[in-house]
Amino acid sequence: MTQTEFLHIVTPFKDKVFRLAKRLLVSTEEAEDATQEVLIKLWKNKAKIKAYKNVEAFSMTMTKNYCFDKLKSKQSQNLKIVHSNYEDKQTALQKQVELNDSLTWVEKIIENLPEQQRLIIQLRDIEAYDFDEIAKMLDMNQTAVRVALSRARKTIREKLTHTHNYGIK
Amino acid sequence: MESNKIEALLEKYDHAETTLAEERELKRYFAEADVPAHLDVYKPMFAYFKANEEEVFTKKLPLKTEQKYVLKWISAAAAVVLLLGFYFSRSNESQDLGTFDDPELAYLEVTKSLEMISEKLNQGTATVGYLDEVNKGTATLNYLNELENATQIIFKKQKQ
């Protein structure tokens, strides 16, 4: 397999890998490193790529596992991942000035969700995968995915109502 | 879109029972400006989801891993060859001295090599011949003795 062929396979989902990594690791730099790591692993095993049924789902699972490993090793070292990118840099967001503040609230609320729920919110509400795919990526059954998703959505909504009514948490 | 239909969808959404198409519809609805006040909470939620779909991975991928590996293996092989080379050349030197089956031939060889050794030794002693020069030096020093003899004769005469 040549580099261009490989890139052709990888390009459609590399951003999704990155966003999933960022959802778990929070820091943009860490997420970039994780994405690079995952894609390089794929490249090294490129001989096997054709044997995988679904490279995209496989890569998402790999990303999830890689990020969990990263988080675990950070925890055991008693280190926190340093990140300074609370602010969303996207210009499209900056235009919606009145919404901007609420958007950072949503981000913070999602950050405080359990990792499992964060993953599912990311995969469903942002990447729009169907439940079957999510279940396979996370090695769960569909009902469990639905329950976790419902819980996550309700938490986000409740916390947002809370901040709306009282201004600041 | 009528807000009661949206409310029904939101109910389903909260229970994670909406299809992907329905969720797209919700996203579109909340992206529009006029949303009833009691549904305002959902607005930032869907706006956030929408905004996050656009983030992209921009870092370059270093994919040139193969050549490095080949170089590594070549250098490792070269090191092994060098080590083996040294090992074998050494062991050959120390072990293979050569043997003779015929005693007469062996005797001849030995005398030949002993002759060679003595010849070389003589060459060595020839250079030691410079030591003769030192002897000459000491011989000239003997003239000093003559001088002493002369002075002794003089002193003897004075004593008398």
Side-chain angles (χ1 to χ4, degrees):
Chain A
M1 183 180 291
T2 63
Q3 258 193 55
T4 38
E5 276 178 299
F6 177 76
L7 287 176
H8 201 71
I9 295 175
V10 155
T11 310
F13 63 83
K14 70 173 181 11
D15 295 334
K16 293 181 183 177
V17 165
F18 170 65
R19 290 191 291 254
L20 185 71
K22 197 183 166 191
R23 179 62 58 212
L24 283 174
L25 300 173
V26 181
S27 140
T28 308
E29 285 78 24
E30 291 270 349
E32 276 172 349
D33 288 349
T35 313
Q36 221 175 41
E37 208 63 37
V38 166
L39 293 180
I40 285 170
K41 265 185 205 165
L42 267 185
W43 169 247
K44 280 183 182 161
N45 291 318
K46 59 185 182 298
K48 288 186 227 153
I49 268 187
K50 275 171 190 143
Y52 301 142
K53 272 187 212 142
N54 185 343
V55 186
E56 182 171 336
F58 179 76
S59 315
M60 295 305 255
T61 313
M62 244 166 90
T63 312
K64 178 205 80 179
N65 291 337
Y66 180 85
C67 291
F68 278 165
D69 285 349
K70 260 269 134 84
L71 289 171
K72 245 180 233 163
S73 70
K74 297 272 173 191
Q75 264 169 8
S76 62
Q77 285 167 21
N78 248 342
L79 284 175
K80 273 196 169 176
I81 294 176
V82 184
H83 55 86
S84 47
N85 52 321
Y86 281 113
E87 268 182 288
D88 218 317
K89 292 168 205 147
Q90 276 168 345
T91 44
L93 279 185
Q94 300 294 345
K95 284 174 196 163
Q96 308 167 298
V97 186
E98 82 279 8
L99 271 177
N100 215 353
D101 198 40
S102 336
L103 290 196
T104 46
W105 271 116
V106 178
E107 178 149 319
K108 280 190 184 174
I109 291 167
I110 294 178
E111 243 171 62
N112 286 320
L113 289 175
E115 278 156 4
Q116 189 84 279
Q117 291 181 21
R118 254 149 79 189
L119 276 172
I120 294 172
I121 281 280
Q122 175 73 24
L123 292 174
R124 177 69 181 192
D125 279 335
I126 295 170
E127 308 299 359
Y129 284 111
D130 60 44
F131 286 117
D132 189 38
E133 282 175 305
I134 296 173
K136 267 183 206 149
M137 284 172 193
L138 302 184
D139 197 21
M140 296 166 74
N141 64 45
Q142 282 197 36
T143 340
V145 173
R146 276 175 202 271
V147 169
L149 180 64
S150 163
R151 224 168 262 163
R153 281 171 175 173
K154 279 178 185 161
T155 316
I156 297 172
R157 193 198 2 101
E158 274 159 24
K159 286 202 176 162
L160 269 181
T161 329
H162 202 255
T163 51
H164 260 254
N165 291 344
Y166 299 100
I168 298 163
K169 196 167 38 172
Chain B
M1 204 185 295
E2 329 88 82
S3 68
N4 54 353
K5 195 192 165 193
I6 288 297
E7 272 169 40
L9 270 185
L10 282 174
E11 181 70 25
K12 270 173 85 185
Y13 176 80
D14 269 358
H15 292 100
E17 283 157 358
T18 39
T19 63
L20 283 171
E22 286 167 336
E23 279 167 26
R24 264 199 302 277
E25 210 173 298
L26 280 173
K27 274 184 199 171
R28 215 177 305 127
Y29 176 79
F30 283 100
E32 285 159 19
D34 45 334
V35 172
H38 66 288
L39 296 179
D40 231 20
V41 216
Y42 287 98
K43 217 176 164 180
M45 212 168 141
F46 285 104
Y48 178 80
F49 293 150
K50 206 154 193 197
N52 269 268
E53 285 166 25
E54 284 145 29
E55 205 167 356
V56 288
F57 175 69
T58 48
K59 219 172 170 186
K60 266 208 93 186
L61 268 183
L63 289 181
K64 298 201 168 162
T65 42
E66 286 203 335
Q67 277 183 333
K68 266 188 206 163
Y69 276 109
V70 170
L71 257 183
K72 247 189 215 168
W73 281 114
I74 287 177
S75 50
V80 168
V81 165
L82 264 177
L83 278 175
L84 282 180
F86 270 115
Y87 178 74
F88 280 116
S89 60
R90 289 253 169 134
S91 55
N92 276 351
E93 255 173 43
S94 56
Q95 279 167 5
D96 190 20
L97 296 170
T99 49
F100 290 96
D101 292 328
D102 189 1
E104 208 163 319
L105 248 178
Y107 175 74
L108 276 176
E109 271 309 303
V110 168
T111 46
K112 209 163 111 191
S113 51
L114 282 178
E115 247 166 42
M116 205 169 78
I117 289 170
S118 67
E119 201 179 296
K120 295 281 164 188
L121 260 178
N122 285 341
Q123 267 178 22
T125 48
T127 52
V128 179
Y130 285 109
L131 285 176
D132 278 349
E133 298 291 317
V134 179
N135 284 342
K136 272 183 199 165
T138 48
T140 50
L141 272 180
N142 282 342
Y143 286 112
L144 285 176
N145 278 347
E146 299 287 320
L147 199 97
E148 205 177 335
N149 281 345
T151 47
Q152 264 175 354
I153 290 165
I154 293 168
F155 282 124
K156 267 182 192 166
K157 273 186 181 170
Q158 271 184 345
K159 273 181 189 172
Q160 279 171 356

